[in-house]
Amino acid sequence: MKTILYIVQKEFIQIFRDKVLLNLILIAPLAQLLILIFAANLEMKNIDFCVVDKDNTQNSIELTNLLAASPFYTLKDYVFTEDQAINMLISGKVDMVLVIPHNFSIDLESASNPKLQLLIDAINGTSAYLINNYTSYIVADYNVDIVMQTYPDSIDTGTFDITYSYWYNPLLDYKIFMFPGLIVILVSLIGLFIAALNFVKEKELGNIAQINVTAIKKYQFIAGKLIPFWIIGIIELAVGLLCGVILFNVPFLGSVWTLFLYCSIYLICVLSLGLFLGTLSNSQQQVMFFTFFFFLTFIILSGLFTPLETMPKWVTYVNYANPFAYLMKVLRMILLKGSGFSDIYMDIVYLSIYSVIMFFIAVKSYRKTG
């Protein structure tokens, strides 16, 4: 144990001497958290559109004004032909074109199935889907208003009264959805990327070669390299959570101790993975390539940006080996749902086994050659 503590002491001295690494540890993850929580947002808030109004009646103007009055839409221009509107769509000046045909008002008032045309820039399928949904809701509401005004007696008062509520995120605030994912990035950056980079840097400087000729055992060395970054990761996690609660009003409904217990095990897992990649690499370029590959793959498959339910079935099996996916799920359960130890104890067991295996692999892959 004393040997491990000496290595830990050496690591801390080395970390605090390296100003670049220190800034990378202290500033980069928190800066990412503060920037990405606003930028990583799939909500459509700025939909630019133009209108081809061939009807030019009170109804068509009312419908256009209804869209323009929405905080999500910006009316860029009225144009006279579809070709002009399509050119605006091609040049990226608008995201959507609303074409109101001739006789729209007459068909609307006579209930003769009036038609509208929406042309949507669908390069981003998710955005196109949201634009279509937003617009359809507005048009449907307008249609109901017209029917009520024109045929007040035909309104059926016996319709369903649906009451709905959004559990765990009642205001559908995207920041609340994204925050746990950004915490995963923050913690994993320390665990996977920086620990591996630090390990290989010591290799290049020849420090590890000097340690190899001593009587230090392999597990002692790996544990000594792991513990300082584990402590830093826990501190970063605490600061990140504090920022989320204070600055972004992210709810913290579950147990603090359960969350830190799980994250402690998680850090051992990703740190072991990072050190394992460090043992395989002979240069900082190599380890950066390795860590970038795993970091990017794990983060995309973890469900940070897209729900896991939309991914192919085989991704579910891949995610058994994805520690990011474990933490993503558990963070959302503890922070937003208030899940306790009894709800996630099996996740703790799985991650503990995974961490032990990864630590064992990291120790075995470290070649202690003088």
Side-chain angles (χ1 to χ4, degrees):
M1 189 64 191
K2 192 179 286 184
T3 306
I4 295 175
L5 289 177
Y6 281 131
I7 300 173
V8 170
Q9 186 180 6
K10 176 194 86 66
E11 288 299 319
F12 271 121
I13 292 172
Q14 212 158 3
I15 290 169
F16 285 109
R17 276 181 184 166
D18 190 336
K19 300 298 180 190
V20 175
L21 183 65
L22 197 60
N23 288 332
L24 203 60
I25 291 171
L26 297 179
I27 299 174
L30 291 176
Q32 277 189 326
L33 176 67
L34 296 176
I35 294 170
L36 290 181
I37 199 164
F38 292 106
N41 193 333
L42 294 182
E43 291 176 354
M44 289 298 299
K45 292 182 177 175
N46 301 299
I47 303 170
D48 295 330
F49 75 106
C50 70
V51 178
V52 183
D53 189 354
K54 296 179 180 177
D55 194 47
N56 200 22
T57 58
Q58 184 181 348
N59 286 330
S60 67
I61 293 171
E62 280 179 359
L63 177 59
T64 304
N65 290 341
L66 203 59
L67 283 170
S70 166
F72 299 112
Y73 291 83
T74 303
L75 176 58
K76 285 295 182 182
D77 204 357
Y78 279 98
V79 293
F80 296 104
T81 65
E82 283 97 333
D83 289 340
Q84 289 176 297
I86 289 171
N87 285 336
M88 292 185 74
L89 203 63
I90 291 172
S91 61
K93 292 178 180 173
V94 294
D95 305 302
M96 182 188 82
V97 175
L98 172 64
V99 181
I100 304 175
H102 294 293
N103 300 326
F104 167 74
S105 186
I106 295 172
D107 291 342
L108 186 65
E109 290 172 358
S110 62
S112 303
N113 195 21
K115 291 183 173 57
L116 291 171
Q117 184 180 27
L118 287 179
L119 305 174
I120 300 172
D121 183 349
I123 288 178
N124 185 332
T126 305
S127 300
Y129 176 77
L130 291 173
I131 292 172
N132 183 48
N133 273 359
Y134 289 175
T135 311
S136 298
Y137 279 125
I138 291 175
V139 171
D141 282 346
Y142 179 69
N143 189 36
V144 170
D145 288 344
I146 291 296
V147 171
M148 290 178 69
Q149 290 170 16
T150 310
Y151 308 103
D153 298 333
S154 67
I155 302 301
D156 183 8
T157 56
T159 55
F160 290 106
D161 182 14
I162 301 173
T163 303
Y164 60 89
S165 64
Y166 298 103
W167 282 27
Y168 314 122
N169 188 2
L171 299 178
L172 300 181
D173 187 346
Y174 211 78
K175 287 197 288 293
I176 289 177
F177 171 73
M178 288 301 296
F179 180 75
L182 296 177
I183 287 290
V184 173
I185 293 178
L186 185 148
V187 174
S188 305
L189 199 67
I190 300 291
L192 187 61
F193 187 75
I194 296 178
L197 200 63
N198 177 263
F199 187 92
V200 177
K201 187 179 178 183
E202 278 206 69
K203 255 188 190 179
E204 291 179 334
L205 294 173
N207 295 349
I208 290 184
Q210 294 176 24
I211 292 173
N212 285 345
V213 297
T214 66
I216 294 173
K217 293 184 172 54
K218 291 200 294 184
Y219 80 88
Q220 292 173 328
F221 180 69
I222 294 296
K225 299 290 288 184
L226 185 148
I227 291 171
F229 289 100
W230 181 88
I231 295 171
I232 292 169
I234 291 294
I235 294 171
E236 293 266 5
L237 172 69
V239 175
L241 289 171
L242 208 59
C243 288
V245 173
I246 294 174
L247 300 180
F248 309 120
N249 294 320
V250 175
F252 198 138
L253 303 178
S255 162
V256 176
W257 300 113
T258 306
L259 188 145
F260 273 88
L261 169 67
Y262 194 85
C263 289
S264 301
I265 301 168
Y266 171 80
L267 272 170
I268 294 173
C269 183
V270 290
L271 279 165
S272 300
L273 175 60
L275 293 173
F276 166 62
L277 296 177
T279 60
L280 297 180
S281 310
N282 294 316
S283 66
Q284 293 187 57
Q285 288 85 355
Q286 283 182 9
V287 80
M288 283 177 72
F289 178 80
F290 275 134
T291 52
F292 183 74
F293 169 78
F294 280 99
F295 194 90
L296 196 62
T297 306
F298 282 164
I299 205 70
I300 290 175
L301 296 184
S302 66
L304 171 61
F305 299 107
T306 51
L308 293 175
E309 291 77 10
T310 63
M311 297 183 188
K313 184 69 178 174
W314 57 264
V315 173
T316 310
Y317 302 116
V318 173
N319 272 339
Y320 284 123
N322 182 359
F324 290 27
Y326 288 99
L327 185 60
M328 193 81 70
K329 173 190 164 192
V330 169
L331 273 181
R332 284 177 177 154
M333 287 177 70
I334 295 176
L335 286 175
L336 308 183
K337 291 184 177 180
S339 301
F341 183 84
S342 59
D343 299 307
I344 64 163
Y345 76 96
M346 284 309 298
D347 294 277
I348 293 175
V349 171
Y350 290 144
L351 192 63
S352 299
I353 295 170
Y354 194 0
S355 301
V356 171
I357 293 172
M358 282 312 306
F359 184 78
F360 179 76
I361 291 173
V363 172
K364 293 298 287 183
S365 62
Y366 169 48
R367 297 186 183 281
K368 194 171 184 299
T369 56

